[in-house]
Amino acid sequence: MSENKQQSEFVKSEVLAENYARALSVYPGQVIVDLKALRDNMRTLVARVSRDLQPGQNAPEVMGVVKADGYGHGLIPSALAALAGGATWLGTAQPYEALRLRAAGIDSSRCHILTWLTSAPTTRFADLITENIDISVGSIDSLDAVAFAARNLGKPARVHVKVDTGFGRNGFTPEGFNAALEKLQQYSNEGVIEVIGQWSHLAVADSPDVPEFVDATDRQINQFNEFTERMREANVAPKIRHLANTAATLNRPEIRFELVRPGIGLYGYEPDPAMGDSQTYGLQPAMTLQAQLGTVKAVEEGHGISYGRTYLTPNNTSTAIVPLGYADGILRSASGFDMQGARHVDKPGGPVRVETNKGARILNVSGRVCMDQFIVDLKGDAAELGVREGDTVTLFGPGRGVEFAEPTADDWAEAAGTISYEIMTGIGPRVPRLYRNAYEVLSSSDIAKLDAKSLI
Ligand SMILES: *Cc1c(COP(=O)(O)O)cnc(C)c1O
């Protein structure tokens, strides 16, 4: 390394360290996203769908689903890492997030963007068409509104026809489809729409071990193919078809078609713990949620902890404040109960990794989660354990195997009776998002699209 290069690397690492220190002084909890994990997860998904192709078959393209602020990881950084890993499409539910991607400088020469949660009277279809954003249509009203906007603009809209194959959410039903086909013919003949895709969403692809669910998915696939036939017969055949979420991308190779739409896999999680953990698929959780302890103090046996006295200290012990609460997305249902006596209820709260001078310990939320904070029973004397105010604790992270036991978002999901998706997307906007490995993963022009202070 030249002296200049060494000097500039040194300056860079100083800046990153300053960013980290500043973040801790601004807020006592942080989401840390490893951009390399995101990039590598996308690479893994791209490699997986590129295997075992039939002769002459092209590998399906991969969409990085970055809805809901990139599943809580940050919209723009997640999108850029997905593109660095080989995604050629991005997808958002809300149109405003699709527009934000284009506004950040991710232009149409670089990737397609599909958005799907529109509403005929209020969505700014003209902006979407202008920005070359593909639009899902699943109702006659939205089809009319898209055509109207395109006609006014003098530019055809790229549409993906959403069909309801049994999920019961968005899309045309088989019964209502003839009316849609007529409109699709009319508008494509007029040149105001271009039928790019046909698509649908699966209800139970994450349970490959439940025969009833496998049958339900098979029925959805049959329905999907019948819709395709009807589009072909009506002369509005889709150029591409897409159906697979992460679960189907991983375990249903026959329905990858021309494009797959993994979301949770990009962030390093399996759709359902029944599918085995994410390592099975070579995926690595990208998000770490950590916090710096508030007050650490000694309390006596039988001390009520937090609202409702749902946790009574079983012994003389120390407690620590973790300064994140339900206003930050720490679900109140992850509260931990240990009620001795008549109304005896035991339920472990969400797990927290605490470093002690006897090694790391996994402790749990003790008592009810409050608005801005929760309490952890340290199960010992803080001074003896070497646990102090200001120590950084980890709520969840990549997991990192047995010798470095660390909770994951799946563990929090279990404690709260939900799924990892809700844990990650629920982390409030006031918790800063910080990014590792930006320089390793992104080009300098992409790094310039990020908030420089968020890089650590
Ligand atoms: C969220 C979503 C996906 C991605 O689902 P995962 O289970 O996260 O892979 C794909 N398609 C649609 C329509 C979605 O809403």
Side-chain angles (χ1 to χ4, degrees):
M1 213 186 265
S2 75
E3 217 167 282
N4 265 347
K5 179 112 195 259
Q6 250 173 17
Q7 182 73 15
S8 81
E9 289 290 315
F10 177 73
V11 171
K12 194 163 76 193
S13 67
E14 290 276 286
V15 169
L16 299 185
E18 271 171 34
N19 286 345
Y20 183 71
R22 187 186 320 103
L24 264 56
S25 72
V26 169
Y27 204 72
Q30 304 83 33
V31 165
I32 297 177
V33 175
D34 183 352
L35 294 173
K36 186 168 177 296
L38 289 179
R39 189 230 12 220
D40 291 348
N41 289 337
M42 180 50 76
R43 279 187 176 164
T44 299
L45 292 163
V46 169
R48 195 172 177 102
V49 300
S50 307
R51 289 197 318 225
D52 307 326
L53 299 172
Q54 308 295 331
Q57 185 194 359
N58 289 327
E61 297 191 41
V62 183
M63 173 187 292
V65 176
V66 292
K67 66 190 182 197
D69 201 31
Y71 287 41
H73 296 64
L75 177 69
I76 308 296
S78 303
L80 294 174
L83 293 173
T88 51
W89 287 74
L90 297 171
T92 74
Q94 304 288 357
Y96 95 96
E97 291 190 310
L99 289 165
R100 271 186 60 204
L101 292 168
R102 288 286 190 240
I106 302 174
D107 60 33
S108 57
S109 65
R110 188 150 177 211
C111 70
H112 297 291
I113 299 176
L114 174 67
T115 189
W116 53 83
L117 207 53
T118 65
S119 169
T122 50
T123 298
R124 289 149 52 191
F125 289 112
D127 292 355
L128 298 174
I129 299 166
T130 303
E131 294 297 337
N132 297 307
I133 291 166
D134 291 28
I135 304 166
S136 171
V137 290
S139 72
I140 298 289
D141 282 355
S142 66
L143 194 45
D144 286 341
V146 168
F148 180 82
R151 189 180 300 120
N152 280 346
L153 271 177
K155 178 178 177 187
R158 291 168 51 92
V159 305
H160 295 236
V161 179
K162 183 80 180 262
V163 292
D164 185 353
T165 53
F167 189 56
R169 197 168 67 178
N170 302 292
F172 296 106
T173 58
E175 297 72 33
F177 202 48
N178 279 345
L181 287 171
E182 243 172 70
K183 292 266 182 184
L184 288 167
Q185 277 174 337
Q186 178 194 328
Y187 291 140
S188 54
N189 290 342
E190 188 192 336
V192 289
I193 67 163
E194 198 182 338
V195 178
I196 302 292
Q198 179 214 341
W199 74 306
S200 191
H201 198 41
L202 296 171
V204 284
D206 54 3
S207 304
D209 53 340
V210 183
E212 197 186 317
F213 288 167
V214 174
D215 290 348
T217 301
D218 288 339
R219 284 198 299 279
Q220 282 203 261
I221 296 167
N222 288 338
Q223 280 280 5
F224 192 68
N225 289 328
E226 281 172 28
F227 274 109
T228 311
E229 266 319 299
R230 291 171 71 180
M231 289 179 76
R232 285 189 184 135
E233 282 165 16
N235 249 335
V236 285
K239 296 194 166 80
I240 62 168
R241 300 194 295 162
H242 45 107
L243 182 58
N245 52 10
T246 299
T249 299
L250 295 175
N251 66 29
R252 283 281 190 149
E254 75 280 14
I255 53 163
R256 289 174 184 155
F257 301 110
E258 289 75 40
L259 177 65
V260 295
R261 306 188 309 268
I264 198 76
L266 166 62
Y267 306 99
Y269 279 86
E270 72 292 340
D272 188 296
M275 287 180 63
D277 71 15
S278 53
Q279 273 96 329
T280 325
Y281 303 97
L283 302 169
Q284 189 200 341
M287 182 188 285
T288 297
L289 177 62
Q290 63 173 36
Q292 288 73 43
L293 294 179
T295 297
V296 174
K297 68 181 184 192
V299 295
E300 306 213 317
E301 179 184 337
H303 203 92
I305 302 293
S306 192
Y307 292 111
R309 294 174 59 79
T310 59
Y311 186 95
L312 304 174
T313 49
N315 304 100
N316 290 343
T317 187
S318 295
T319 58
I321 299 292
V322 178
L324 294 174
Y326 58 76
D328 299 295
I330 307 304
L331 297 174
R332 194 163 173 275
S333 47
S335 296
F337 303 155
D338 184 353
M339 297 162 77
Q340 296 137 33
R343 290 163 57 217
H344 186 98
V345 181
D346 273 341
K347 175 202 170 273
V352 179
R353 179 185 154 99
V354 179
E355 309 295 331
T356 78
N357 54 22
K358 300 184 167 71
R361 290 198 175 167
I362 308 287
L363 299 164
N364 297 84
V365 176
S366 307
R368 288 232 162 94
V369 173
C370 309
M371 189 181 293
D372 289 86
Q373 54 189 308
F374 64 84
I375 302 140
V376 169
D377 180 348
L378 296 175
K379 306 265 179 197
D381 179 70
E384 274 173 32
L385 293 167
V387 175
R388 282 189 201 84
E389 197 164 320
D391 284 1
T392 293
V393 298
T394 307
L395 283 73
F396 61 84
R400 290 181 253 237
V402 192
E403 63 297 344
F404 187 90
E406 181 181 64
T408 66
D410 278 337
D411 297 316
W412 275 83
E414 197 185 326
T418 183
I419 53 177
S420 62
Y421 299 65
E422 189 182 9
I423 299 297
M424 292 187 283
T425 58
I427 299 171
R430 70 180 181 175
V431 182
R433 269 64 172 175
L434 303 173
Y435 297 94
R436 269 195 219 297
N437 291 323
Y439 288 92
E440 222 179 296
V441 170
L442 303 180
S443 66
S444 48
S445 64
D446 276 355
I447 290 174
K449 296 179 176 69
L450 303 181
D451 171 8
K453 292 195 169 67
S454 71
L455 309 181
I456 62 166

